[in-house]
Amino acid sequence: MNTKYDLVFRIMRLFYIVFILVEMLSMEINAKTQQNIESIDYILSQTKELSEKIDRLHILADSVAEAEDKDPGVLFDIQNQICHYHIVNGEYEIAMNEAVSLNMKAEISGNKKNIVYANVNIGLIYLFIGRYQEAIPFFEKSLSLIPETEEVSTTFELSAMSYLMYVSLNAGDLGKMKQTLDLYKSILDKEAIPPKENLCILYAYSVNYYVAMKKFDKAKEAVTLATHYMNAEYGPSYTSVYYLAMARYYHSISNNDKALYFINQSFKVDPCLEVLEEKMSIYEDAGKIDNAFNTSGQALQLITGQRTATYSRQMDRLHILHELNDQARQNELLQDQKSEILEKQKLLVAFLIFVCILIVFVFGMIRYSLRIRKLKNALENEKNILKRSTEELCLATERAERANQMKTHFVANVSHEIRTPLNAIVGFSALLDEVSEDEQEEFIDIINKNTELLLKLINDVLDLSQLEADNFILNITEVDIAKCCQGALDRIRPKVNENVKLTFTNPDMPLILKTDCSRVRQLLVNLLLNAAKYTEKGEINLDYRMDASSQYILFTVTDTGCGIPLDKHKTIFDRFEKVDEFKQGVGLGLAICREIAKRLDASISIDSSYTSGTRFIFRLSMAG
């Protein structure tokens, strides 16, 4: 707040200093008024000389008027050449006045050739000042009138079309550019021997069009044709278009060396801002930031030079206008200076008062605006907080409902799976005292098997809940893969049917990997147990090998059992999913395998191409 008051105070102090300076200036003007009167004689002599020049211009105008009476097109042609002169010299304000005047005269006279020339002039002015969208209608109008008059040459018509293609490309109107390209080509096709420079222009603009449309194959064809017709001896209006088109094409296909070559050639022919902007883009894409920065400096110098030249021309015109307007009124102005200074002082005082009031008003509006914005932001923040809270509440509700459903499903499945072994344990335990010793041994064996089944179920539930917990931590160490696999085989060997051969491939291939040995072994044990459960005879094989890229280890567990139907391949890793409902087990083994694989950033799947049983593939990254 203090800073704002300091700013107001400084502004008021500045206006006070200006007021004092104006007072001092008025005193100095009063002192020099006499000196200015002495310079009137010199000004009058200059006025006389200027009057003589004006007389000569009147004589020239009279002669042009006489020629106009004999040939109505002479005056228009002279004015058209004057307009071109101003365009070439960058005097666009004067050129626009001349072009509009020519257009009005042409429209009144109904001379279509003159209307064509006037509209092309206006289009060129808009082209050179970078207002491409506004240039398009004037070039279109001129081209639409050319077929109605035989006085316009084909060369002029092709030039107007090239201007229209240029502004359409820069305005982003690619449809208009394509239409003009087709028209340009149709005119050249009518020629018995089309000029090569015009063919070069045609295919150079075709390159620009196809690059803009990202049709690089067609752009390449156009590059070949444009290069075929290119000749370095053509004028700058042809070679500059060709070089810039080549630079854009090679830039678009990331051939930055060739792009830089052609953009440098283009800059030699036509050192304009458009070429420097394309060059900066090429350097940026090539990663040459220093060169891009230097090129931006060149662009800045070019812009500064153009603006300086424009400013100089404007100042020269203002100086001439000032002399023409002031020389006739010097005496009157010198006499009225005192009264004008007094009036200016009064106006300055009034202006200072107005500015002070305006500053106070603006300051108040700023405070009001800041307060409103602050309140608006606070309300917006509250709204966003409420919205987020609502969304979080909905998500939490959905999670709670989903968790409740999963809990209910889980409890139902576990309850069913626990009840079967418990009933067997309780039932056969109660009968132990009532049967013979042989039957007791059989019952004890049944009780032991159901106890193991119940213990495995509990262990599987605990393992699954631990794997799904957020605080689960892997114990990463260097693991000998062969020993890990051998340990898994040793654990399940007693569970394998005596008619089944348990084999291990590649046990002698040494391979050390950083991973969690216990979890890898647990996953392999579950896969091997699943194979042993569904394989009555044949073979169960454990194999591991590196893939072709040497980035992954592929573990495979293959059996010759009943296999898994294709319709269950997608669901077999879900909880409580079983191939045979009458087999022992609760269907959690493969679900645990999937969770272990996720924790190890690995994958597990079924080989659907293997039909002689089941083959599981466990894919583990060598990166650990």
Side-chain angles (χ1 to χ4, degrees), residues 481-491 493 504 507 521 542:
I481 296 301
K483 290 183 178 180
C484 182
C485 293
Q486 191 62 55
L489 290 168
D490 292 341
R491 285 189 58 181
R493 198 177 302 278
F504 182 25
R521 185 166 53 244
L542 172 60

Side-chain angles (χ1 to χ4, degrees), residues 351-574:
F351 178 72
L352 288 173
I353 295 173
F354 172 76
V355 168
C356 292
I357 295 173
L358 182 62
I359 290 172
V360 173
F361 175 75
V362 170
F363 180 71
M365 289 299 296
I366 290 173
R367 287 194 61 188
Y368 176 76
S369 176
L370 290 174
R371 181 173 179 80
I372 293 297
R373 185 180 299 174
K374 185 177 180 181
L375 292 173
K376 182 179 178 181
N377 291 336
L379 289 174
E380 191 68 25
N381 289 334
E382 291 292 335
K383 180 181 176 181
N384 292 334
I385 292 172
L386 181 60
K387 184 177 179 180
R388 285 197 299 271
S389 299
T390 304
E391 292 175 352
E392 290 173 359
L393 181 60
C394 292
L395 289 174
T397 303
E398 291 177 2
R399 289 195 204 99
E401 291 177 354
R402 191 162 55 250
N404 187 49
Q405 291 174 358
M406 291 176 64
K407 182 195 71 173
T408 303
H409 180 69
F410 182 78
V411 170
N413 280 284
V414 170
S415 299
H416 175 268
E417 297 299 335
I418 290 176
R419 187 181 298 113
T420 301
L422 275 178
N423 288 338
I425 293 170
V426 173
F428 285 103
S429 297
L431 295 174
L432 285 175
D433 295 333
E434 302 176 3
V435 296
S436 63
E437 290 183 1
D438 293 338
E439 290 177 331
Q440 283 182 354
E441 291 180 0
E442 182 181 354
F443 287 0
I444 289 172
D445 184 56
I446 294 173
I447 292 171
N448 288 335
K449 288 181 179 179
N450 281 276
T451 302
E452 290 179 3
L453 182 61
L454 184 60
L455 181 61
K456 187 178 185 308
L457 171 62
I458 294 172
N459 288 333
D460 287 347
V461 170
L462 292 175
D463 285 341
L464 192 60
S465 63
Q466 184 181 6
L467 286 168
E468 291 180 347
D470 293 335
N471 58 354
F472 178 80
I473 299 175
L474 293 171
N475 182 22
I476 304 298
T477 58
E478 289 190 351
V479 178
D480 186 331
I481 296 301
K483 290 183 178 180
C484 182
C485 293
Q486 191 62 55
L489 290 168
D490 292 341
R491 285 189 58 181
I492 67 103
R493 198 177 302 278
K495 309 280 187 185
V496 178
N497 194 300
E498 59 183 8
N499 296 324
V500 176
K501 184 180 180 182
L502 186 62
T503 61
F504 182 25
T505 307
N506 291 329
D508 298 326
M509 184 176 72
L511 188 60
I512 304 298
L513 178 67
K514 285 188 176 182
T515 186
D516 190 328
C517 179
S518 61
R519 292 303 177 183
V520 172
R521 185 166 53 244
Q522 182 181 4
L523 185 147
L524 295 175
V525 166
N526 283 353
L527 293 179
L528 291 166
L529 284 173
N530 187 79
K533 186 189 303 182
Y534 293 101
T535 304
E536 300 294 336
K537 60 181 179 178
E539 181 183 2
I540 298 174
N541 175 258
L542 172 60
D543 178 24
Y544 73 88
R545 66 185 69 247
M546 287 187 291
D547 69 343
S549 63
S550 300
Q551 295 182 351
Y552 297 92
I553 301 178
L554 299 178
F555 296 87
T556 58
V557 175
T558 308
D559 63 57
T560 58
C562 61
I564 299 174
L566 286 175
D567 59 344
K568 284 200 173 187
H569 279 198
K570 293 183 178 179
T571 61
I572 195 63
F573 292 101
D574 293 343

Side-chain angles (χ1 to χ4, degrees), residues 3 82 131 135 139 223 256 265 363 466 515 564 576 588 621:
T3 304
I82 294 171
R131 294 165 68 171
F139 289 125
V223 165
N256 294 319
Q265 294 296 110
F363 180 71
Q466 184 181 6
T515 186
I564 299 174
F576 305 108
L588 290 178
S621 173

Side-chain angles (χ1 to χ4, degrees), residues 82-92 95 121 124-125 128:
I82 294 171
C83 182
H84 271 288
Y85 171 79
H86 291 307
I87 292 174
V88 171
N89 286 280
E91 299 171 347
Y92 302 123
N121 287 338
L124 281 173
I125 295 168
F128 284 118

Side-chain angles (χ1 to χ4, degrees), residues 213-227:
M213 294 294 291
K214 300 188 184 305
K215 296 181 178 181
F216 300 113
D217 292 339
K218 292 188 176 181
K220 185 177 180 180
E221 297 174 4
V223 165
T224 303
L225 292 170
T227 304

Side-chain angles (χ1 to χ4, degrees), residues 62 69 79 82 102-103 148 166 196 237 293 304 374 383-384 390 467 476 496 517 564 623:
D62 292 338
D69 292 335
Q79 289 180 312
I82 294 171
L102 288 172
N103 191 39
E148 300 177 18
Y166 178 83
K196 290 185 177 181
S237 59
F293 181 76
T304 304
K374 185 177 180 181
K383 180 181 176 181
N384 292 334
T390 304
L467 286 168
I476 304 298
V496 178
C517 179
I564 299 174

